[in-house]
Amino acid sequence: MARLVMKFGGTSVADIDRIRNVARHVKREINAGHEVAVVVSAMAGTTDQLVAWCEAALKSRRIFDAREYDAVVATGEQVTAGLLAIMLQDMDIDARSWLGWQLPILTSNAHASARILDVNGAELTHRMSERKEVAVIAGFQGLHRETGRITTLGRGGSDTSAVAVAAAIRADRCDIYTDVDGVYTSDPRVVPRARRLDKIAFEEMLEFASLGAKVMQVRSVELGMVHNVRIFVRSSFDRPEDFDRNGTPPGTLICSEEEILEQHVVTGIAFSRDEAQISIRQVQDKPGVAAAIFIPLAEANINVDMIVQNVSADGKTTDVTFTVPAADYQRSLEVIAKARSAIGYARLDGAVDVAKVSVIGIGMRSHAGVAAQAFRALAERAVNIRAITTSEIKFSLLIDAAFTELAVRTLHSFYGLDQTTQ
Ligand code: ADP
Ligand code: ASP
Ligand code: MG
């Protein structure tokens, strides 16, 4: 007998038929003698709709009250949690739905991107072992105890709910059921020749997720790494019965590095189109200027990512280029323009039609020249590189957005990641 958390994403609970398929997956694990807690997302598209309604509701103010945004967007998961509990009961499985505030799942006060602080695992384990009851937990939401308000965890946050529940009940595994049968060497929607990875280390998955692979929310991987939760990514579209007969389903295990025997230099390619580039021209080359640029941006809660600064040729001025999330582009320009006298620059340029392509692999730690080779491969395809950043296990390139797919596929082939049989 094992203790499992089963998480089902939006496409997996998109309609009644799919939720029934989910219920059958749960039944399969119960029949196999396992203890199960389930975490569900809202039906596909529901959260987007709820966010759009919040935006449409606003007329004169620029930003809405994040507490009310959370009150609205948390509702999607309530529907699917209740429906799945009804269907499980209909299959004679004892099941109960739980909202974030009911369990509770306690979070910080950072509405719309709250952090989980504590999950009432004792209540879940008690009901699971004493009553054989299946908890169906609404993902993506929690409670800020001091204010009594509902919070949400940021888009894609049900993954984080699931891993936090798994850590709280000391689950043997956290199964993430989604619309792909695992983590691939790149997004299979963009790279048809991408290969499924049998295993991936937490650290690599963390880079993958933070550099754009949305298959897992970044914080869920962080939590998994800290609490050493084994996470298995698999497809919810498989028929539950097939695995009763065939044994192990296809999927990807996210686990500690020591468990991975086969090491590649490059594990995968991630990309993000959600970037904007800002270049400040002829900035004074003197101490304190970087602080004059980046402190106001930090104070405005803008996440700066790649930063490139040239060494001045004349000792007087230089150019500084950096990237910010595309959604913060206008705001960033305003912040820099406001700080113009403190920074002292000649011109402000920017572009939103850029993308960041990243190559990830733990093997880079011990191999030199991995990035250098890629530059030629991209040059042969006439892909111009605007900026480059590197770290221990990845490097990222900023390019024109129009070249994203070409660059991702070129790098995927170049590093030998393509599937050989189709
Ligand atoms: P869910 O609704 O189940 O949470 P998501 O849409 O959040 O699912 O995540 C699954 C999607 O992530 C896939 O459909 C796929 O297009 C995308 N994806 C991006 N990069 C990868 C990757 N490297 N491997 C697998 N899927 C990826
Ligand atoms: N429903 C939320 C979203 O769409 C959370 C999730 O699906 O993980 O972002
Ligand atoms: Mg998701």
Side-chain angles (χ1 to χ4, degrees):
M1 185 198 80
R3 184 174 283 174
L4 303 176
V5 171
M6 304 172 75
K7 180 260 170 177
F8 296 91
T11 31
S12 311
V13 292
D15 55 38
I16 291 291
D17 285 342
R18 289 198 182 161
I19 302 178
R20 208 180 305 283
N21 195 50
V22 163
R24 289 163 61 227
H25 274 290
V26 175
K27 188 174 165 60
R28 182 199 66 226
E29 300 293 15
I30 300 284
N31 288 350
H34 302 314
E35 289 181 342
V36 174
V38 186
V39 174
V40 286
S41 289
M43 290 179 178
T46 297
T47 313
D48 288 344
Q49 175 66 78
L50 294 168
V51 171
W53 280 338
C54 286
E55 282 161 359
L58 213 58
K59 264 192 142 175
S60 52
R61 293 192 187 187
R62 267 183 77 187
I63 309 168
F64 36 62
D65 184 329
R67 289 164 293 193
E68 304 312 336
Y69 167 90
D70 277 354
V72 176
V73 300
T75 57
E77 274 72 11
Q78 179 165 349
V79 174
T80 43
L83 286 173
L84 180 56
I86 291 173
M87 286 189 203
L88 288 170
Q89 289 172 2
D90 201 38
M91 293 176 174
D92 293 326
I93 295 169
D94 205 358
R96 182 66 56 220
S97 68
W98 294 93
L99 299 178
W101 62 268
Q102 289 175 309
L103 199 51
I105 294 176
L106 297 179
T107 73
S108 70
N109 199 20
H111 283 276
S113 60
R115 280 182 180 273
I116 295 180
L117 302 174
D118 187 57
V119 176
N120 181 5
E123 181 69 29
L124 291 174
T125 46
H126 169 73
R127 286 173 177 258
M128 183 177 262
S129 46
E130 302 296 314
R131 301 201 205 167
K132 305 286 169 230
E133 189 179 280
V134 175
V136 184
I137 301 158
F140 183 51
Q141 56 173 269
L143 169 74
H144 179 245
R145 172 162 276 165
E146 291 71 16
T147 55
R149 306 297 315 181
I150 293 168
T151 54
T152 64
L153 310 178
R155 297 305 306 268
S158 297
D159 296 328
T160 305
S161 310
V163 177
V165 167
I169 66 171
R170 297 203 170 77
D172 297 285
R173 215 176 56 230
C174 180
D175 286 343
I176 304 287
Y177 287 79
T178 181
D179 57 5
V180 268
D181 61 356
V183 179
Y184 278 66
T185 46
S186 195
D187 188 342
R189 288 184 211 218
V190 169
V191 185
R193 301 183 79 102
R195 271 189 288 125
R196 191 182 61 239
L197 298 160
D198 288 335
K199 290 184 180 179
I200 183 168
F202 283 120
E203 221 178 311
E204 284 177 316
M205 191 64 228
L206 201 55
E207 293 285 6
F208 238 129
S210 48
L211 294 168
K214 73 164 193 168
V215 60
M216 293 289 293
Q217 200 202 30
V218 179
R219 279 186 194 159
S220 70
V221 187
E222 266 167 16
L223 266 186
M225 190 150 100
V226 170
H227 297 282
N228 207 10
V229 177
R230 291 161 70 79
I231 301 170
F232 188 60
V233 181
R234 55 180 293 182
S235 170
S236 68
F237 297 145
D238 297 327
R239 291 181 348 137
E241 309 79 52
D242 292 345
F243 302 108
D244 291 340
R245 273 180 267 124
N246 302 337
T248 322
T252 302
L253 185 70
I254 307 172
C255 57
S256 67
E257 199 180 326
E258 294 78 56
E259 265 193 70
I260 300 172
L261 300 175
E262 207 188 342
Q263 283 292 3
H264 305 281
V265 177
V266 169
T267 304
I269 320 285
F271 59 90
S272 160
R273 294 190 177 96
D274 178 32
E275 307 285 323
Q277 175 194 324
I278 294 179
S279 295
I280 314 181
R281 307 293 182 195
Q282 292 173 23
V283 178
Q284 299 168 65
D285 191 22
K286 62 170 197 194
V289 167
I293 297 171
F294 296 112
I295 289 177
L297 289 167
E299 281 171 355
N301 244 327
I302 295 168
N303 247 331
V304 175
D305 181 22
M306 305 170 103
I307 302 178
V308 184
Q309 181 184 333
N310 231 330
V311 176
S312 168
D314 57 7
K316 288 188 195 130
T317 63
T318 183
D319 290 351
V320 177
T321 290
F322 56 90
T323 61
V324 293
D328 291 331
Y329 177 62
Q330 279 307 333
R331 226 156 49 83
S332 305
L333 290 178
E334 286 164 23
V335 168
I336 297 296
K338 230 169 140 185
R340 183 168 189 164
S341 59
I343 304 168
Y345 60 85
R347 209 176 71 236
L348 198 52
D349 292 337
V352 281
D353 52 349
V354 293
K356 183 173 64 179
V357 176
S358 305
V359 176
I360 299 148
I362 276 185
M364 280 189 215
R365 276 194 204 127
S366 47
H367 285 77
V370 178
Q373 300 158 20
F375 303 150
R376 176 172 300 156
L378 291 175
E380 280 166 7
R381 301 289 176 115
V383 179
N384 186 37
I385 300 168
R386 289 167 171 251
I388 304 167
T389 52
T390 60
S391 76
E392 210 189 4
I393 66 163
K394 67 121 210 275
F395 65 89
S396 299
L397 310 172
L398 193 70
I399 60 167
D400 292 354
F403 289 94
T404 314
E405 300 195 350
L406 176 66
V408 171
R409 288 182 193 151
T410 301
L411 293 170
H412 197 270
S413 305
F414 180 76
Y415 287 111
L417 299 173
D418 284 356
Q419 212 170 59
T420 42
T421 50
Q422 280 278 305

